[in-house]
Amino acid sequence: MSPRHRPPEALLATLSASRGRSDRLTHTEHLPARQARYAPWPEAIRPEIVASALALGVAQPWAHQAEAMNLAKTGQTVVLATGTASGKSLGYLAPVLSDLLDGTEARNGRGATALYLAPTKALAADQRRRAAELAPTRVRAALYDGDTPPEEREWVRQYASYVLTNPDMLHRGILPAHPRWASFLKTLKYVVVDECHTYRGVFGSHVAQVLRRLRRLCARYGSTPTFLLASATTADPAATAQRLTGLPAVAVTEDCSPRGPLVFGLWEPPLTENVGEHGAPVRRTATSEAAYLLTELVENNTRTVVFVRSRRAAELVALQTQDQLGRPLADRVAAYRGGYLAEERRALERDLHSGRLLGLASTSALELGVDVSGLDAVLMAGYPGTRASLWQQAGRAGREAQGALAILIARDDPLDTYLVHHPEALFDTPVEATVLDPDNPHILAPHLCAAAAELPLGESDLDLFGPSAGALLPILERRGLLRRRGDGTWYWTRRDRAVDGVDLRGSGGSPVQIVEAETGRLLGTVDASAAHTAVHEGAVHLHQGRTYLVRDLDLEHSVALVEPADPPYTTAARDITSISVLSTDTTVDWGEARLSFGSVEVVNQVVGYLRKRISTGEILGESKLDLPPRTLRTRAVWWTVTEDQLLDADIPFDQLPGAAHAAEHASIGLLPLFATCDRWDIGGVSVPLHPDTQLPTVFVYDGHSGGAGFAERGFQRAAQWLTATRDAIAACECERGCPSCVQSPKCGNGNDPLDKAAAVRLLDILLAGAPGGEPADAPGGTAGDVAGGAQEE
């Protein structure tokens, strides 16, 4: 057997056996092959589309594709939630393009239109190419985004039948200018929402309201489009689609595409001789370990993609691998990331398909539906954040007749460490629900303003926007944003554009612009809530893999001036935080301990920052800052224990601050396993004696004003969450605490004090009183996750 066709079991055995690595492979999972199941083409699909598919090698659709086509033609809202490379695009394109072809026979050549929404511009461009492969040229497909030249935009509005864009452009460019889009909206037959599992938390909640505004304007012009959604495998996709669109939805979830057997390895890098904060041991980075493994896979002639978290990491993995391989094999390894031109991306994809390229280090650009599949192996340098993303990335490996290898390489992080030692959390647990909360008043309010600016709001509109809408209108009137006329409708009263007050990918308000000082070029933005910690003066700021130093933060004008730099250190903000309980929604007794959920006020002030050496985490120095305090009203879950319990747990009062602080850090690190989010989206505070509870208390709170369901999900799954937290701390092989268990990269107190052993005893005594089941759901909304940032941990 040639190296090209080595079975994945043999590849994994070689990787783990060489260089004494056998102890790094913590688990191997074997997933069986799946046979394809086909169905006839639905009669409603135009013969031109069938002929184009046949020319592309698709003689018959898989059964789930045909099911989605049939449902779409009946006008039902459909969500197609199947695995990577399962042909979701054909499932929605065939009915859409068939109806658009019907429309070309109208007198004006555009009797039906369709709108496609993607979370990224690159994916929209990729889908335009797929549409062009399937449909005759008389179906006019066009991109409409920030890169579309002004002279082309009018043509798109007047003549394009299939417009591909993103939620940001729909929100800022199309809906406010709806009179200019009247002919397009009047004949809108379909709205395609691709990769809808990415619309979660605050971002997803904003997009849900944008789609409601679109539905309202369509009704004004006399159309009721059918919504077709495509998603990675996710829990309860029909409920997710309904929350996103506001319409009842039908889910197609049985994946009938073929898949070869998959061998999935969990891998933990070794401890190094380096030490971090307070002498804690440090593991080799996941990216360095990935470069070593990629080197051996390329030497074994194995086509492999490495998924990493940043552009910079993609370049580093590629460079390290090239250095280790030497010529000529080094020429068969490259980096693939956002920011490349479309021609460059296509060339890399072709080289990977053909086998000229054997190794590719990529950001998640390859995860979101871009057409690269059929690889021999996938390496993931760090858990990608959700099980849905994990399976999206792993699914890039494998073809029908050949097995594939996937390896998750743990970062030095509590969640990654827990997962590689608890494989059941990945392989025996359903993927997460994509959770969002469109009724959050902090999200809904600015969209009501935007809707009123588009068309005056009437009583008949309130059901569309959800149960919170009616109560918000008088509040917006008192703020001088809306005014009620004698006819009972609400009007936008200001001269500025209402949509400019909404940042879809943040929590509303004015984001801080990050500007390159020398050129004046806008590099990006950061939510106002995260600016003090992310772009304070002296901060190291990573933007699309490039490194900058913040020269000045102008809070009055919401601008951070940065300059290119390559410092040998990272920065971490130091802050002080206080938290007070505003109201308690519900409390559950855990024996003498208590678990609560409610509203809190967090006052946070960044007072300085640390400089840490990149390679070792060694602290190089500390600088002071003079920034104003920030107040956040949000939602939190918190738990208390009694003095008697502390005595039972053998935790004297001098050990309590370190025990509670360590438990807080680890619980924040593990919550993303249960709440589908990132640890940077939440904050925490631990207090040996809190004035509101009069007891030792640990709080975990949402990092967005008003909350977005994170803490609520933690409350609902507290027994599982805190048990996993306790197990992660206890299982870590370090003596006193390290980044793999209780140290946090975002701690405002320099990871001091921390007491690992006392934290285990504290969680043991807390969990001893936990009920057999989980606490009852908290009232007042849907659990969700967030996409912005908390300041403190």
Side-chain angles (χ1 to χ4, degrees):
M1 181 177 289
S2 69
R4 180 73 183 85
H5 298 291
R6 289 189 66 192
E9 294 90 343
L11 276 175
L12 187 58
T14 299
L15 293 175
S16 61
S18 65
R19 306 186 190 182
R21 296 184 185 138
S22 58
D23 59 337
R24 303 182 198 178
L25 183 65
T26 62
H27 179 78
T28 305
E29 191 81 9
H30 296 266
L31 304 174
R34 181 179 61 219
Q35 298 298 314
R37 189 158 59 85
Y38 297 93
W41 284 99
E43 292 183 5
I45 302 304
R46 294 268 301 218
E48 298 96 323
I49 305 300
V50 175
S52 296
L54 186 61
L56 294 171
V58 181
Q60 277 189 306
W62 292 314
H64 65 269
Q65 294 173 317
E67 182 184 358
M69 295 174 199
N70 281 317
L71 288 168
K73 293 295 287 185
T74 66
Q76 295 187 71
T77 299
V78 183
V79 55
L80 183 53
T82 51
T84 308
S86 61
K88 291 187 284 286
S89 296
L90 182 63
Y92 59 73
L93 273 173
V96 168
L97 296 178
S98 291
D99 276 20
L100 296 186
L101 267 175
D102 291 342
T104 61
E105 294 159 5
R107 295 177 65 182
N108 65 353
R110 193 175 80 162
T113 56
L115 183 69
Y116 170 92
L117 297 174
T120 65
K121 289 189 288 187
L123 183 54
D126 192 73
Q127 287 298 310
R128 180 193 187 191
R129 177 181 59 82
R130 295 190 184 191
E133 290 174 344
L134 281 172
T137 54
R138 65 181 188 270
V139 174
R140 298 185 288 260
L143 293 170
Y144 191 85
D145 56 34
D147 297 334
T148 306
E151 60 272 16
E152 288 184 22
R153 295 189 179 194
E154 184 61 29
W155 183 91
V156 174
R157 285 190 289 264
Q158 294 298 324
Y159 301 108
S161 50
Y162 190 39
V163 174
L164 300 99
T165 187
N166 52 67
D168 310 80
M169 195 65 176
L170 178 61
H171 162 65
R172 290 185 179 274
I174 296 177
L175 298 182
H178 64 89
R180 304 180 70 184
W181 287 85
S183 63
F184 180 88
L185 294 173
K186 183 178 181 180
T187 56
L188 189 60
K189 186 71 182 286
Y190 290 103
V191 177
V192 176
V193 184
D194 204 358
E195 303 291 351
C196 70
H197 61 281
T198 64
Y199 300 127
R200 56 186 179 87
V202 167
F203 180 39
S205 301
H206 277 299
V207 172
Q209 293 298 349
V210 171
L211 294 181
R212 283 156 175 77
R213 286 164 46 205
L214 171 64
R215 288 176 51 209
R216 177 172 177 257
L217 291 177
C218 287
R220 166 68 174 78
Y221 290 105
S223 64
T224 54
T226 297
F227 282 77
L228 307 179
L229 300 92
S231 170
T233 51
T234 181
D236 203 355
T240 297
Q242 182 164 341
R243 281 195 297 272
L244 196 58
T245 64
L247 296 165
V250 179
V252 176
T253 57
E254 186 179 356
D255 193 335
C256 300
S257 62
R259 184 189 68 194
L262 177 67
V263 175
F264 205 129
L266 303 182
W267 191 280
E268 185 173 43
L271 292 170
T272 67
E273 295 179 356
N274 297 323
V275 294
E277 285 188 278
H278 310 295
V282 176
R283 292 191 183 277
R284 179 182 290 157
T285 65
T287 50
S288 293
E289 193 79 353
Y292 280 112
L293 295 180
L294 179 59
T295 299
E296 293 200 22
L297 288 167
V298 170
E299 288 173 343
N300 278 277
N301 207 31
T302 304
R303 284 194 302 172
T304 306
V305 161
V306 182
F307 282 106
V308 294
R309 304 272 288 193
S310 69
R311 293 184 179 192
R312 186 181 190 185
E315 302 287 1
L316 284 174
V317 169
L319 285 171
Q320 288 179 20
T321 305
Q322 289 165 350
D323 288 344
Q324 292 164 33
L325 286 169
R327 297 287 185 270
L329 277 179
D331 295 329
R332 303 184 71 180
V333 175
Y336 180 111
R337 56 173 176 76
Y340 285 174
L341 297 175
E343 300 79 35
E344 296 173 313
R345 289 202 334 272
R346 296 285 173 248
L348 286 169
E349 291 167 14
R350 284 194 301 272
D351 288 346
L352 194 61
H353 276 302
S354 69
R356 194 198 75 75
L357 268 184
L358 283 174
L360 205 60
S362 173
T363 59
S364 60
L366 282 183
E367 179 189 327
L368 289 180
V370 179
D371 189 18
V372 173
S373 57
L375 304 164
D376 301 308
V378 165
L379 305 176
M380 290 163 276
Y383 181 59
T386 65
R387 288 182 290 274
S389 288
L390 181 88
W391 292 112
Q392 279 283 96
Q393 293 181 359
R396 291 290 165 201
R399 290 166 293 160
E400 183 173 356
Q402 182 175 321
L405 174 66
I407 301 177
L408 171 63
I409 305 166
R411 286 177 297 160
D412 206 359
D413 171 271
L415 180 54
D416 285 39
T417 303
Y418 178 84
L419 290 172
V420 295
H421 291 286
H422 293 81
E424 70 280 359
L426 291 175
F427 302 113
D428 299 339
T429 305
V431 292
E432 308 88 346
T434 303
V435 196
L436 54 144
D437 183 10
D439 293 325
N440 182 333
H442 295 268
I443 291 167
L444 174 57
H447 285 284
L448 290 175
C449 292
E454 289 153 6
L455 284 174
L457 275 169
E459 292 289 336
S460 59
D461 295 317
L462 298 185
D463 286 344
L464 176 65
F465 289 102
S468 303
L472 281 174
L473 293 175
I475 296 172
L476 294 172
E477 183 178 31
R478 288 197 296 273
R479 292 180 184 171
L481 298 172
L482 298 183
R483 185 171 64 211
R484 193 170 196 179
R485 295 274 178 87
D487 60 0
T489 54
W490 302 83
Y491 289 75
W492 173 248
T493 61
R494 303 174 62 161
R495 292 186 177 181
D496 51 335
R497 294 189 348 141
V499 294
D500 291 338
V502 188
D503 174 18
L504 294 193
R505 296 171 192 264
S507 58
S510 299
V512 173
Q513 296 185 313
I514 303 169
V515 176
E516 193 171 37
E518 295 302 318
T519 65
R521 184 166 61 103
L522 178 65
L523 299 180
T525 62
V526 62
D527 292 346
S529 62
H532 287 209
T533 51
V535 289
H536 58 74
E537 183 180 334
V540 174
H541 178 71
L542 281 176
H543 176 72
Q544 297 181 338
R546 300 173 182 88
T547 309
Y548 298 85
L549 273 178
V550 179
R551 196 167 80 185
D552 179 61
L553 173 59
D554 184 344
L555 292 172
E556 183 179 353
H557 297 97
S558 297
V559 173
L561 294 176
V562 302
E563 52 195 15
D566 192 20
Y569 60 83
T570 60
T571 52
R574 296 289 303 271
D575 56 14
I576 54 176
T577 302
S578 62
I579 190 166
S580 56
V581 176
L582 299 177
S583 64
T584 303
D585 287 14
T586 186
T587 294
V588 178
D589 290 332
W590 281 18
E592 294 181 39
R594 305 188 87 188
L595 179 80
S596 301
F597 172 76
S599 296
V600 296
E601 182 176 83
V602 182
V603 179
N604 171 270
Q605 184 174 19
V606 174
V607 295
Y609 64 95
L610 299 176
R611 294 183 298 280
K612 300 181 179 181
R613 193 183 301 278
I614 292 174
S615 57
T616 66
E618 174 191 357
I619 296 175
L620 302 177
E622 180 175 358
S623 299
K624 301 296 183 184
L625 291 170
D626 183 20
L627 288 167
R630 298 182 63 90
T631 299
L632 172 71
R633 291 195 169 198
T634 185
R635 308 282 272 169
V637 55
W638 63 93
W639 49 268
T640 61
V641 292
T642 64
E643 291 185 23
D644 288 344
Q645 287 181 296
L646 294 176
L647 288 173
D648 292 342
D650 192 23
I651 301 175
F653 195 77
D654 63 332
Q655 291 182 12
L656 178 58
H661 195 198
E664 171 215 324
H665 279 188
S667 66
I668 286 173
L670 268 292
L671 184 54
L673 187 60
F674 302 93
T676 326
C677 66
D678 192 284
R679 70 182 295 160
W680 296 87
D681 300 330
I682 46 180
V685 179
S686 52
V687 187
L689 183 65
H690 193 273
D692 292 332
T693 65
Q694 293 297 305
L695 291 168
T697 310
V698 174
F699 293 86
V700 175
Y701 61 85
D702 289 349
H704 276 286
S705 183
F710 231 4
E712 186 175 0
R713 181 57 64 90
F715 177 84
Q716 292 169 348
R717 304 193 65 184
Q720 294 170 278
W721 165 40
L722 295 173
T723 298
T725 300
R726 182 260 175 222
D727 292 348
I729 302 173
C732 187
E733 60 191 282
C734 72
E735 289 185 17
R736 300 179 57 195
C738 70
S740 291
C741 57
V742 299
Q743 287 192 351
S744 166
K746 54 175 281 198
C747 179
N749 299 308
N751 283 302
D752 185 50
L754 292 174
D755 191 323
K756 175 185 175 181
V760 174
R761 298 197 301 273
L762 179 62
L763 288 165
D764 278 339
I765 203 71
L766 169 71
L767 290 162
E774 294 177 12
D777 287 359
T782 303
D785 56 33
V786 293
Q791 291 84 26
E792 194 271 346
E793 182 174 292

